[in-house]
Amino acid sequence: MNPAVRNVFVVGLDDFNRQRLESLKGAEECRFHGVIDPEAVYDTEVFDIAAMLEESTARLEAFDGTVDAIVGYMDFPVSTMLPILCERFGTRSPTLSSLLKCEHKYWSRRVQQEVVSAHMPAFTAFDPFDDEALIRISDAGLHFPFFVKPIKSSGSRLGFRIDTPEDFQHAIERLQAEIGLIADPFNTVLEQARLPDEIAAVEGHFCMAEAIIGGWQCTVEGYVFEGEVVSYGIVDSLRYPQVLSFFHYRYPSGLPEVVQDAMCALTERVMRHIGFDNSAFNIEFFWDEVQDRIWLLEINTRLSQSHCDLFEKVDGVSHQQVALDLALGRRPEMPHRRGEFAVAAKFFYRVFFVDAVVVRVPSDEEVTALEADFPGTVIALQVASGQRLSTLPEQDSYSFALAHVWMGADSAERLLEDYERLAARLTFEFEDIVG
């Protein structure tokens, strides 16, 4: 084997992302290998992390060559597996402890409170299996309305706004039925870490209650290299009117420069304090324009896969460049505004049913024609004919995303106009609709 080749192992590598990775600067020096089949992390909500770690370790140990980097570009379970695998094989990554200070939502809030307390909502942890949970939340000083989510959440799944006791009861029933899908594998990870006693007591089946925060939502994409915190782009997260479901992610941000600068300063302060290093991350913020106040929503210990195409369209390269460079010990070099478009977005084509059966989706020919009519557009259908919507993984609590649509344009206004024209031609049909 060529000794100059760097062997990069990607957890959950699929063909689409292999092509992206192979187009990055310096990729010609790398050979990309999959670790764990993509179906095991994309097409299921059942994650046996212990078995996946065992399988990954065996595959890496059996490899005839050097293991130079182990990377991923997904949230749970991939993000939490990486530090464990990297430590076993001596490759670069943040420590498991620093990663959990971001991903364990209660621990993360406790650590954030030490340095950015003015930018956090009131919060408390609670056990959804405790009959007195609502009383304990009230005793902690939280009253309606508030938001609840698991200690380890994935996307917007099992997140609920609570305005009444009935809302809370509905959320509790869902949480009790489904939280184990994330909690059980997350506990496998927690068992491998040294946790403070007060954090260890709040295991994976616990939830968070937080005061409602809101405003203009965005995500700061960044990385830490040898202790240096760098923010390289801010992506806006825009929701459908009157609901919690995302409509589209847009890059670059339309926030005032002074607000963007303040968010980057907060990002540097909190990531330094956590001790997170040698990895990509992103932090979600709100800017309350009325109060001119910035709120920190949560920290994610990986770049957003949803944003890869946005950076490629606007800056000229997917920000997977950052993850690859860091894994190989190189200072990342992201280009700036060298892409084909001035603005780009990922749109979520949604329906707001409780459930339904899909009886028609756009054909391959229809999708190809739409992509040709809107140059640069990529359409990824999320459902198939005959599928029941409630079987879709990783959905929020209020809607179902039928398609993801990435588009670019010369202005934010033109971007929305183009999407509306495209969406009018995306034809889905349903039966057994539960409204």
Side-chain angles (χ1 to χ4, degrees):
M1 185 171 288
N2 184 348
V5 169
R6 311 290 294 276
N7 293 299
V8 179
F9 290 83
V10 185
V11 180
L13 180 63
D14 59 12
D15 291 339
F16 179 75
N17 281 287
R18 179 186 290 277
Q19 293 174 8
R20 269 224 177 101
L21 290 168
E22 289 176 345
S23 71
L24 299 177
K25 180 182 177 181
E28 66 276 2
E29 304 169 7
C30 301
R31 185 167 295 155
F32 297 99
H33 310 270
V35 181
I36 302 296
D37 294 334
E39 295 78 14
V41 290
Y42 282 112
D43 299 336
T44 181
E45 291 185 336
V46 179
F47 305 115
D48 188 340
I49 283 188
M52 286 194 283
L53 286 170
E54 184 177 338
E55 177 187 337
S56 302
T57 300
R59 187 177 298 188
L60 290 163
E61 286 178 341
F63 180 69
D64 183 18
T66 58
V67 176
D68 299 301
I70 307 172
V71 299
Y73 39 76
M74 285 189 62
D75 195 354
F76 189 80
V78 174
S79 58
T80 47
M81 292 169 57
L82 287 173
I84 299 170
L85 287 173
C86 289
E87 183 178 14
R88 289 179 183 179
F89 289 90
T91 60
R92 292 168 67 91
S93 83
T95 63
L96 180 58
S97 175
S98 67
L99 179 135
L100 290 174
K101 287 179 183 177
C102 303
E103 296 219 358
H104 185 298
K105 301 306 180 189
Y106 180 67
W107 196 3
S108 189
R109 284 303 195 197
R110 291 284 296 268
V111 174
Q112 293 166 32
Q113 199 172 40
E114 296 167 3
V115 288
V116 292
S117 59
H119 303 277
M120 291 170 42
F123 68 95
T124 190
F126 70 94
D127 181 353
F129 296 91
D130 177 5
D131 292 339
E132 304 296 316
L134 188 56
I135 295 173
R136 299 187 197 284
I137 291 170
S138 178
D139 289 345
L142 279 164
H143 307 288
F144 301 125
F146 56 87
F147 197 78
V148 301
K149 58 186 174 183
I151 281 294
K152 176 67 194 99
S153 56
S154 179
S156 301
R157 189 165 175 270
L158 294 181
F160 301 91
R161 179 186 167 103
I162 308 299
D163 290 285
T164 65
E166 291 76 22
D167 289 344
F168 187 73
Q169 184 57 39
H170 168 72
I172 287 294
E173 290 171 0
R174 284 281 305 279
L175 287 163
Q176 289 179 350
E178 300 177 33
I179 196 171
L181 291 170
I182 296 178
D184 293 339
F186 188 53
N187 280 339
T188 300
V189 175
L190 295 180
E191 289 167 3
Q192 309 227 11
R194 292 185 176 180
L195 305 175
D197 290 344
E198 66 273 20
I199 303 303
V202 183
E203 49 84 38
H205 289 85
F206 273 65
C207 293
M208 292 285 285
E210 294 190 346
I212 297 293
I213 55 177
W216 186 324
Q217 187 172 353
C218 65
T219 301
V220 175
E221 292 281 359
Y223 64 84
V224 190
F225 176 73
E226 302 294 352
E228 179 186 2
V229 182
V230 177
S231 300
Y232 57 85
I234 300 181
V235 179
D236 292 335
S237 301
L238 304 166
R239 298 179 186 269
Y240 282 86
Q242 309 303 318
V243 294
L244 292 173
S245 302
F246 287 115
F247 177 26
H248 64 285
Y249 302 145
R250 184 184 63 196
Y251 178 68
S253 173
L255 283 165
E257 288 294 329
V258 64
V259 176
Q260 295 190 43
D261 291 343
M263 288 178 175
C264 292
L266 289 170
T267 294
E268 180 174 10
R269 190 186 312 168
V270 74
M271 297 311 288
R272 254 185 215 285
H273 183 67
I274 287 171
F276 190 81
D277 202 1
N278 296 318
S279 181
F281 68 87
N282 66 61
I283 302 186
E284 298 174 50
F285 288 100
F286 284 112
W287 176 48
D288 183 331
E289 188 173 1
V290 175
Q291 300 184 50
D292 190 22
R293 185 169 185 177
I294 295 172
W295 297 103
L296 194 159
L297 178 58
E298 65 181 20
I299 305 171
N300 301 302
T301 58
R302 39 76 192 164
L303 56 79
S304 171
Q305 189 179 177
S306 288
H307 298 164
C308 291
D309 188 77
L310 311 188
F311 280 94
E312 187 171 337
K313 280 180 164 53
V314 175
D315 289 338
V317 67
S318 164
H319 63 159
Q320 287 167 317
Q321 184 74 58
V322 170
L324 178 63
D325 287 341
L326 290 169
L328 294 173
R330 304 186 300 224
R331 182 182 296 276
E333 294 183 14
M334 276 293 290
H336 186 70
R337 307 300 186 260
R338 296 183 191 171
E340 185 179 350
F341 300 96
V343 62
K346 176 186 180 181
F347 291 94
F348 296 85
Y349 184 98
R350 297 183 183 274
V351 291
F352 294 86
F353 305 149
V354 174
D355 203 0
V357 174
V358 182
V359 295
R360 185 196 187 279
V361 301
S363 67
D364 291 345
E365 292 77 15
E366 289 171 328
V367 169
T368 299
L370 280 169
E371 291 177 340
D373 289 347
F374 298 90
T377 293
V378 177
I379 301 171
L381 301 183
Q382 303 299 301
V383 295
S385 182
Q387 185 170 12
R388 180 165 287 280
L389 293 178
S390 57
T391 67
L392 288 171
E394 296 297 319
Q395 301 298 305
D396 65 31
S397 301
Y398 303 95
S399 67
F400 298 99
L402 306 183
H404 298 161
V405 181
W406 289 267
M407 304 184 77
D410 56 10
S411 70
E413 293 75 18
R414 178 61 184 271
L415 191 67
L416 285 172
E417 291 170 3
D418 286 351
Y419 174 72
E420 288 174 4
R421 290 193 293 128
L422 179 146
R425 293 168 55 188
L426 275 177
T427 305
F428 296 84
E429 294 177 4
F430 309 90
E431 61 183 22
D432 296 336
I433 297 173
V434 183

